[in-house]
Amino acid sequence: MRVVPWVLATSLLAAGTLQAAPRATAIPDKAVAAATQLREHALASNLGYEITASLTTEVGPRLAGSEADARAVKWAEAKFKALGYDKVWLEEVRFPKWERRSEHASVVGTNAQPLALIALGGSPAGTVEAEVVRFADLAALEAAPAGSLVGKIAFIDHRMERARDGAGYGMGSKVRSRGPSAAIRAGAAAYLMRSAGTDSHRNPHTGITRFDAGLTPVPSAALATPDADQLTRLLALGPVRVRMALDCGWNGEAVSHNVVGEIRGKSKPQEVVLIGGHLDSWDPGTGAIDDGAGVGLTMAAGALIGQMRQRPARTIRVVAFANEEQGLYGGKAYAATHVNDIRKHQLAAESDFGAGRIYAFRSGAPEYAQGAVKQIAEVLAPLGIAHTPGEGGPGPDISPFAERGMAWASLRQDGTDYFDYHHTPDDTLDKIDPRALAQNVAAYAVFAYLAASADGDFGSDLKAVKPPQE
Amino acid sequence: MRVVPWVLATSLLAAGTLQAAPRATAIPDKAVAAATQLREHALASNLGYEITASLTTEVGPRLAGSEADARAVKWAEAKFKALGYDKVWLEEVRFPKWERRSEHASVVGTNAQPLALIALGGSPAGTVEAEVVRFADLAALEAAPAGSLVGKIAFIDHRMERARDGAGYGMGSKVRSRGPSAAIRAGAAAYLMRSAGTDSHRNPHTGITRFDAGLTPVPSAALATPDADQLTRLLALGPVRVRMALDCGWNGEAVSHNVVGEIRGKSKPQEVVLIGGHLDSWDPGTGAIDDGAGVGLTMAAGALIGQMRQRPARTIRVVAFANEEQGLYGGKAYAATHVNDIRKHQLAAESDFGAGRIYAFRSGAPEYAQGAVKQIAEVLAPLGIAHTPGEGGPGPDISPFAERGMAWASLRQDGTDYFDYHHTPDDTLDKIDPRALAQNVAAYAVFAYLAASADGDFGSDLKAVKPPQE
């Protein structure tokens, strides 16, 4: 899960309400009744957990472009078929390949001891032994004068805040994405950060970073939070030298695939409701909450709809996106491939925030469709899901397409614990509560079924927009 | 912390009550009043936490016999002096040196993925790639016929239970100490176990193992609990081959030291109340709960007594024991060195079960001293500590001397979370609650002060016993 700018998408979709005044979108009573049954059936099913267990156990970690990533694509294709999906296909996605080989760090000198750290995705290889200079936050490092850190390791000790909606990750991910460039501008030889995480375990949090154009990248890594504590205590005693050795880096181009499965609609099969998650993961864990759960629960939702006697009018399209973690490559490729079919995309929602219970629902659809959105919200309400217009945006992989004008909805998960495990070795199946996952499956199934059954649309239409900004 | 057999020591001390009927031991009112003030002073002090932070930060991990272990000895000597102890000295302790250099494991084949594991202390080096055979518990592996595991890796998947008193570690540590020999007897090429821990993190639990005489040791390691889950799920799908590569082993003899500090008693300085913890730690963490806390809180208790206007009659001796983890080497050396002074040891208690609050107190002292024990219990009671005759034994390092007849007491800590972190990278300072540690300091200070002030003794006397059995 990455953070993407929603303000743009939201404002553009709001602007869409100015264009026309179509007939109000509404969902037939019969579909509401069927979705209510589907909800209870899904709540009692273990299918989402079983699919997630299958992916995370049989494939395990699946860094984009790795051998395991290719296995994950084969796994998804086979799983869709085994689940009875009507149509399954792959769409090629190309991206630069980043590899992690090893990483080590230690305090040297009189307090010699190892430190637990992990290279940030995109970091170059390199071994640096230098004095550490601590900054309390990103702004402090960004204010460091040019040349002031020559021969030093810059260390940002920002402590990420815990929040149900993951709000603390806004700054946490900025420290990761912008810190290295700020360090280089000040002349630093390497970059360290306190992990963007809310736990207190020796499992550091990786994630993609980037280097501004014109800068020469330096080795960049995140310390486990207890190690950031330790380094800060040592710095309080006097100068500290750290040796960090990263073996990692870019290595050519990789090919992976978005994997798509469809449950064919009864009367309007060319129109689709899109749900999904991303198939790739960071490498230290098995990608259970990020994003095996998103793949598993949306695959299960589609499969449960496929088993119904009364199919919805439109097709349910489930997408397991490629390489979300390193730059939304799968989501961007999907948007580029399908841009001319944007109006055939009735409504889309992505799950990429773990496996906690969904507590809120909204859609960025125009006013004329909000009656149908409210109908969906009413069937979701018994799951403990509130209708919260104005809060939340689409998931990361559907955001490039949402920015082009695809109608989207948001099913917001409780992420209170998400950043305890996110992008760490600890992102494993045991962190998922099967009952919470079943609630997610029920919500996605209800959502997809009702959106696919609506009379009228949710406002998907191609906008002339500048390309998404990172 | 290791498990040692208490039944022997307890029965021997009970037998001591048959020998004589000395005058009942009692504590003067004035000492009770002073101890009550000391308790409140200690509760408000942060000294125990500061000492523990100093050790775990400045020295960090300190595997017995390592360079860092030698630094820890120097640290302890200097810290005793800085705290105002009247006398500080070292006592040499020799033991075989075990080194950890690296360890890796992975599932190979169609489900290829890394596994998080750690070599058990005492394991030889070796690389084995073989099929895994799972056993639900130690008994199942011990029942495996000779030769039945030739060319295989034996895996015990015993799940340790959480308990306040750490009862689950009885079996957990047996799986670790006896599992490898059972595997070798069945012909296995290597041994794997689910970590003896109660957490669900990718931080495996090390600890000493041993190999029965006449057996050729094989590489032996513990999987993190999520990895044991993963391996068990994979085994449910079919045969699983694992490659494990351990680089570790015995390497000559090492010299370390028990570090002793004394606060001199006012009127009977040759008699001592002994408190302490162990200075060494396992290497993956910084040994905060095992046993930096035990060292820090007993050093603080002694120092706070040293600051009192009214010194107790007897000397408070604080011992930071060497190499507890690999076989009670420091405790055995102490007993051997001081055996002729056993009657000068008024009463002893060791802290080696983390940093949780103390909830229970007892002493194995004979009946004529139980009145004084009850007096101590009454001053401890406001700390939330119950007097529980019949439950608990002395800490590991004082057990060799307790088995020879030294009077002991037990201050039992809440170990509910102890085995979440014990012997893992996660044994770091952030796991300690400073308020809980202050409660421990208060309890040890009260205990030591009152025992040192008693009129009469607690029954220390040399017994003719067979040497302690492991």
Side-chain angles (χ1 to χ4, degrees):
Chain A
M1 183 270 196
R2 296 169 73 243
V3 160
V4 283
W6 293 123
V7 181
L8 183 64
T10 306
S11 60
L12 287 163
L13 287 161
T17 61
L18 302 177
Q19 291 184 331
R23 200 161 59 91
T25 303
I27 298 167
D29 289 350
K30 195 174 164 188
V32 170
T36 303
Q37 284 194 330
L38 173 62
R39 182 187 69 209
E40 300 308 310
H41 178 60
L43 266 183
S45 165
N46 202 36
L47 185 59
Y49 187 80
E50 288 166 8
I51 299 170
T52 308
S54 170
L55 171 60
T56 60
T57 302
E58 294 164 39
V59 179
R62 46 200 181 277
L63 186 69
S66 67
E67 175 275 334
D69 184 34
R71 266 194 285 137
V73 168
K74 289 203 176 93
W75 171 92
E77 187 179 18
K79 188 61 74 175
F80 273 129
K81 288 177 180 168
L83 289 167
Y85 276 70
D86 299 307
K87 194 177 166 194
V88 182
W89 72 94
L90 309 185
E91 298 183 357
E92 192 175 279
V93 181
R94 288 175 177 271
F95 48 84
K97 181 177 179 179
W98 185 80
E99 293 177 337
R100 182 193 314 280
R101 291 175 288 269
S102 70
E103 55 236 326
H104 299 283
S106 54
V107 173
V108 297
T110 53
N111 306 116
Q113 54 189 288
L115 293 172
L117 98 176
I118 191 164
L120 300 182
S123 172
T127 297
V128 173
E129 183 183 317
E131 193 180 322
V132 173
V133 181
R134 177 184 176 272
F135 296 87
D137 52 33
L138 177 62
L141 177 56
E142 288 184 334
S148 62
L149 297 178
V150 170
K152 311 282 191 188
I153 297 172
F155 165 46
I156 298 184
D157 196 27
H158 171 74
R159 195 178 290 266
M160 186 177 147
E161 283 179 26
R162 185 183 296 277
R164 184 171 71 165
D165 67 355
Y169 191 56
M171 181 50 74
S173 62
K174 267 186 204 153
V175 169
R176 196 180 68 220
S177 58
R178 285 167 42 180
S181 293
I184 295 165
R185 285 199 184 86
Y191 175 73
L192 279 178
M193 62 180 282
R194 175 187 286 267
S195 280
T198 51
D199 61 300
S200 198
H201 293 291
R202 302 292 293 286
N203 289 316
H205 298 239
T206 190
I208 197 73
T209 191
R210 48 191 287 284
F211 299 91
D212 291 347
L215 301 179
T216 302
V218 299
S220 298
L223 290 167
T225 59
D227 297 77
D229 293 342
Q230 184 84 333
L231 183 54
T232 296
R233 277 190 298 268
L234 285 166
L235 285 165
L237 301 174
V240 177
R241 288 182 73 79
V242 163
R243 183 179 187 278
M244 54 189 276
L246 310 184
D247 185 9
C248 55
W250 298 106
N251 184 9
E253 191 186 50
V255 178
S256 189
H257 297 84
N258 290 333
V259 187
V260 189
E262 284 191 346
I263 300 294
R264 191 176 300 116
K266 195 171 51 181
S267 55
K268 297 178 181 175
Q270 297 309 310
E271 298 182 17
V272 303
V273 170
L274 188 158
I275 57 176
H278 66 84
L279 190 55
D280 69 308
S281 78
W282 281 106
D283 48 327
T286 63
I289 62 165
D290 187 15
D291 185 30
V295 169
L297 74 91
T298 54
M299 275 188 168
L304 293 177
I305 292 173
Q307 293 166 12
M308 294 173 78
R309 264 172 300 179
Q310 186 188 325
R311 285 271 179 106
R314 294 177 188 79
T315 290
I316 309 299
R317 179 178 291 179
V318 180
V319 185
F321 290 98
N323 196 352
E324 185 272 349
E325 293 293 359
Q326 299 173 22
L328 309 182
Y329 287 97
K332 288 174 182 169
Y334 185 90
T337 301
H338 297 277
V339 65
N340 292 328
D341 286 334
I342 198 166
R343 297 180 72 167
K344 292 183 181 165
H345 286 73
Q346 169 83 341
L347 193 55
E350 188 194 12
S351 172
D352 182 21
F353 197 54
R357 283 178 189 272
I358 295 168
Y359 65 93
F361 168 67
R362 79 169 285 213
S363 169
E367 196 53 42
Y368 69 83
Q370 286 295 333
V373 170
K374 189 154 174 280
Q375 285 183 289
I376 296 171
E378 284 165 1
V379 187
L380 293 174
L383 296 172
I385 299 172
H387 186 197
T388 57
E391 289 175 26
D397 285 302
I398 61 170
S399 68
F401 213 9
E403 288 175 11
R404 299 306 305 274
M406 179 175 65
W408 55 268
S410 165
L411 291 141
R412 302 178 78 194
Q413 291 168 300
D414 186 328
T416 305
D417 300 332
Y418 185 61
F419 293 103
D420 290 349
Y421 310 121
H422 177 254
H423 295 185
T424 77
D426 249 346
D427 178 3
T428 47
L429 186 66
D430 49 295
K431 310 309 184 301
I432 295 180
D433 171 1
R435 299 319 307 150
L437 198 66
Q439 187 254 18
N440 276 265
V441 173
Y444 270 84
V446 160
F447 162 77
Y449 185 87
L450 291 176
S453 301
D455 292 329
D457 65 73
F458 291 84
S460 288
D461 202 357
L462 194 61
K463 316 290 178 188
V465 297
K466 54 181 180 176
Q469 300 182 327
E470 281 259 349
Chain B
M1 180 270 196
R2 296 171 70 246
V3 160
V4 286
W6 296 123
V7 179
L8 182 62
T10 307
S11 60
L12 286 164
L13 286 163
T17 61
L18 301 177
Q19 292 185 330
R23 198 160 60 89
T25 303
I27 299 168
D29 290 347
K30 196 174 162 189
V32 169
T36 302
Q37 283 193 329
L38 173 63
R39 182 186 69 208
E40 299 308 310
H41 178 62
L43 266 183
S45 164
N46 203 36
L47 185 59
Y49 187 79
E50 287 165 10
I51 300 170
T52 308
S54 171
L55 172 60
T56 61
T57 301
E58 295 163 41
V59 179
R62 45 200 182 277
L63 187 68
S66 67
E67 174 274 335
D69 185 35
R71 267 194 285 138
V73 169
K74 288 202 176 94
W75 171 91
E77 188 180 17
K79 187 62 74 178
F80 274 128
K81 290 178 180 169
L83 289 167
Y85 275 72
D86 299 307
K87 192 176 166 194
V88 182
W89 73 93
L90 308 184
E91 298 183 357
E92 191 174 280
V93 181
R94 291 177 175 270
F95 47 86
K97 181 177 179 179
W98 185 81
E99 294 177 336
R100 181 193 313 281
R101 291 174 290 268
S102 70
E103 53 236 329
H104 298 283
S106 54
V107 173
V108 297
T110 53
N111 306 116
Q113 54 189 288
L115 293 172
L117 97 176
I118 192 164
L120 300 181
S123 172
T127 297
V128 174
E129 183 183 316
E131 192 179 324
V132 173
V133 181
R134 176 183 177 274
F135 297 87
D137 53 32
L138 178 62
L141 176 57
E142 289 184 333
S148 62
L149 296 178
V150 170
K152 312 281 191 189
I153 297 172
F155 164 47
I156 298 185
D157 196 27
H158 171 73
R159 194 177 292 264
M160 185 177 147
E161 283 178 27
R162 185 183 297 278
R164 185 171 71 164
D165 67 355
Y169 191 56
M171 181 50 75
S173 61
K174 267 186 202 153
V175 169
R176 195 180 69 220
S177 58
R178 286 167 42 182
S181 293
I184 296 164
R185 284 200 184 87
Y191 175 72
L192 279 178
M193 63 181 281
R194 173 186 287 268
S195 279
T198 50
D199 62 300
S200 196
H201 293 291
R202 301 291 294 285
N203 290 316
H205 298 238
T206 188
I208 197 72
T209 190
R210 49 190 286 283
F211 298 91
D212 290 348
L215 301 180
T216 302
V218 299
S220 298
L223 290 167
T225 58
D227 298 78
D229 293 341
Q230 184 83 332
L231 183 54
T232 296
R233 277 190 298 268
L234 284 166
L235 285 163
L237 301 174
V240 177
R241 287 182 75 79
V242 163
R243 181 178 187 278
M244 53 189 278
L246 310 184
D247 185 9
C248 56
W250 298 106
N251 184 11
E253 191 186 48
V255 178
S256 188
H257 298 84
N258 291 334
V259 187
V260 189
E262 283 190 347
I263 299 295
R264 191 176 301 115
K266 194 171 52 179
S267 55
K268 298 178 180 173
Q270 297 309 310
E271 298 183 16
V272 304
V273 170
L274 188 157
I275 57 176
H278 66 84
L279 190 56
D280 68 309
S281 77
W282 281 106
D283 49 326
T286 63
I289 62 166
D290 187 14
D291 185 27
V295 169
L297 74 92
T298 54
M299 275 189 169
L304 293 176
I305 292 172
Q307 294 165 12
M308 294 174 77
R309 265 172 303 180
Q310 186 188 328
R311 285 273 178 105
R314 294 177 187 81
T315 291
I316 309 298
R317 179 177 291 179
V318 181
V319 185
F321 290 98
N323 197 352
E324 184 270 352
E325 293 294 0
Q326 298 174 21
L328 309 182
Y329 287 96
K332 289 174 182 168
Y334 184 90
T337 301
H338 298 276
V339 66
N340 292 329
D341 286 333
I342 197 163
R343 296 180 74 165
K344 293 183 181 165
H345 285 72
Q346 170 83 339
L347 192 56
E350 187 194 12
S351 174
D352 182 21
F353 197 54
R357 285 177 188 273
I358 296 168
Y359 66 94
F361 168 69
R362 78 168 284 210
S363 169
E367 196 54 38
Y368 69 84
Q370 286 295 332
V373 170
K374 189 155 173 279
Q375 286 181 287
I376 297 172
E378 284 165 2
V379 187
L380 293 175
L383 296 172
I385 298 172
H387 187 197
T388 55
E391 290 175 26
D397 285 302
I398 62 170
S399 69
F401 214 9
E403 288 176 11
R404 298 305 305 274
M406 178 174 64
W408 55 268
S410 165
L411 291 140
R412 303 177 76 194
Q413 293 168 298
D414 185 329
T416 305
D417 299 332
Y418 184 61
F419 293 103
D420 289 349
Y421 310 121
H422 176 255
H423 296 184
T424 77
D426 250 345
D427 179 2
T428 48
L429 186 65
D430 51 294
K431 310 309 183 303
I432 295 180
D433 171 2
R435 298 320 308 151
L437 198 65
Q439 186 253 19
N440 276 264
V441 173
Y444 270 84
V446 160
F447 161 77
Y449 186 87
L450 292 176
S453 302
D455 292 328
D457 66 73
F458 291 85
S460 286
D461 203 358
L462 194 62
K463 316 291 178 188
V465 298
K466 55 182 178 177
Q469 298 185 327
E470 282 258 352

